[in-house]
Amino acid sequence: SAWANLRSMYVQEGYTIAYEQFVAPTEVDYSRYVIGMRQAGVDMVVLTNDISGEVKFVNTAEQQGFSPNVITTRAVFYDPAFKDLIQGKGANVYSELGSALYFNQDERRIPGVALFQDWMNKTSPKQAKDSFSVFGWCQAILFVDALVKAGPKATRPSLLTALQSIHTVDTRGLLPVGDPAGKKPTPCFIIGNWSGTAWQRYSSPASGFDCSKPFDYLRP
């Protein structure tokens, strides 16, 4: 379903889909997919697997000498495990993110990133600073905001009522502002690029997010 929506968007934007392949999470050898893409003339690869599968593809592409202009995924590449799984340089790898680069030390200038990192280190230093921990952190911020709004004798109904009235959540720059009560996602994002040794912002504001692009709901 995720790929169906992405495919619809790419076609709408004028891209040509030259090669498609569904891959099981247990797949070990990505060689045939890399060869198939090369034969199809693919110059941009979009992956929708988990971090393990996606890095297997990147490693195989480098081993096979396949160098598309872009290898990208929706946020999954930006993971602390990436640097340990990648076997080569990982050239032309990008990740579109709806958050700051939350485990980068150089992003600590953003108050929400510094606060997240500090408390992760204090309370659960062995827990990966990945997208799951970020989402849990931000959901907790929303939950606490709702508890405060529901009052000192909060009940389940009053908490749900409070949640339905919260249209902004202040994550201090960790995430862009959305509208949870209105169920409206943010159009804001950044692009991360793997430099060969670390993740960095690419064609994005030095801090904050790019909110200049239109946002459309797409259906397959």
Side-chain angles (χ1 to χ4, degrees), residues 34-203:
V34 168
I35 293 169
M37 289 184 185
R38 180 193 287 126
Q39 291 175 343
V42 168
D43 56 17
M44 176 177 176
V45 177
V46 180
L47 304 171
T48 59
N49 206 330
D50 61 12
I51 183 65
S52 175
E54 295 186 349
V55 176
K56 285 175 187 174
F57 175 87
V58 175
N59 289 337
T60 303
E62 190 157 338
Q63 291 163 7
Q64 294 284 338
F66 176 52
S67 301
N69 294 327
V70 174
I71 302 176
T72 187
T73 184
R74 174 65 176 90
V76 178
F77 272 150
Y78 184 68
D79 188 289
F82 184 89
K83 65 180 178 58
D84 297 320
L85 295 171
I86 199 76
Q87 294 175 355
K89 293 181 179 179
N92 300 330
V93 171
Y94 301 87
S95 192
E96 182 253 317
L97 294 158
S99 68
L101 298 175
Y102 43 78
F103 62 77
N104 276 38
Q105 287 298 304
D106 58 0
E107 295 267 298
R108 287 182 59 80
R109 64 184 179 276
I110 301 169
V113 172
L115 191 65
F116 166 73
Q117 291 182 2
D118 288 346
W119 280 98
M120 284 291 291
N121 290 335
K122 288 178 183 179
T123 61
S124 189
K126 294 183 180 180
Q127 172 68 40
K129 297 179 184 70
D130 57 16
S131 58
F132 299 104
S133 57
V134 169
F135 292 151
W137 171 268
C138 295
Q139 288 159 3
I141 294 173
L142 173 59
F143 183 73
V144 171
D145 286 351
L147 276 178
V148 171
K149 198 166 187 176
K153 296 183 179 180
T155 63
R156 181 182 177 86
S158 67
L159 181 64
L160 292 173
T161 298
L163 284 168
Q164 291 167 1
S165 67
I166 297 176
H167 292 276
T168 60
V169 179
D170 183 11
T171 63
R172 304 185 186 184
L174 179 57
L175 299 185
V177 176
D179 182 355
K183 298 182 179 180
K184 295 179 181 178
T186 176
C188 305
F189 69 100
I190 64 169
I191 298 173
N193 171 236
W194 177 250
S195 68
T197 57
W199 286 97
Q200 59 191 7
R201 289 179 179 238
Y202 175 84
S203 189

